[in-house]
Amino acid sequence: MPMKYLPQFCIILGFTLAGEVLQRIIPLPIPAAVYGLVLLFLALCLKLVKATQVKDAGSFLTSLLPLLFVSPTVGILDCWTLIQPRILTIALLLIASTCLVFGIGGLVTQALGKKEGDGNG
């Protein structure tokens, strides 16, 4: 791994650490990783951190995401006897939540696209 990744990972880990601290300070049931991602997003929006400062490490971490889904999938298979009687309900909830996420994601993307298009973004 080239040395250019080290400072980028340190920036990302710094925001992750800040998220951990916030999660301990603020008494809300929000995961520390979410706080860290929001802080990084705000820092990028406010130009405190440039995208080029974390782009390569972020791309590397994103490429590893599929590996993170293997363990939960195996865990689901271990619980199949508990899941099987409720499979229709679970499937309907998964479909509904996926459609909801797509819909909200599309609306946010359109709103951001309009903001970019009017010259204020």
Side-chain angles (χ1 to χ4, degrees):
M1 183 181 312
M3 279 304 287
K4 70 177 180 178
Y5 286 115
L6 186 60
Q8 293 184 21
F9 277 119
C10 287
I11 291 170
I12 292 170
L13 286 173
F15 282 99
T16 303
L17 177 63
E20 291 286 340
V21 171
L22 273 180
Q23 198 259 341
R24 304 252 193 278
I25 294 172
I26 301 173
L28 293 173
I30 298 174
V34 173
Y35 281 121
L37 286 173
V38 169
L39 289 173
L40 180 56
F41 176 73
L42 290 173
L44 287 166
C45 287
L46 297 172
K47 308 275 193 251
L48 299 173
V49 174
K50 294 181 181 124
T52 56
Q53 291 177 290
V54 293
K55 182 179 180 184
D56 295 323
S59 295
F60 174 73
L61 291 171
T62 304
S63 72
L64 296 177
L65 277 178
L67 293 176
L68 301 177
F69 292 105
V70 171
S71 179
T73 304
V74 171
I76 288 172
L77 292 177
D78 282 344
C79 299
W80 180 249
T81 55
L82 296 172
I83 294 171
Q84 190 175 11
R86 297 171 186 89
I87 194 68
L88 183 61
T89 305
I90 293 170
L92 290 174
L93 287 171
L94 284 172
I95 291 168
S97 62
T98 300
C99 290
L100 186 64
V101 168
F102 281 166
I104 291 172
L107 291 173
V108 169
T109 302
Q110 286 179 343
L112 290 174
K114 287 179 185 174
K115 182 180 176 187
E116 291 271 328
D118 68 9
N120 294 332

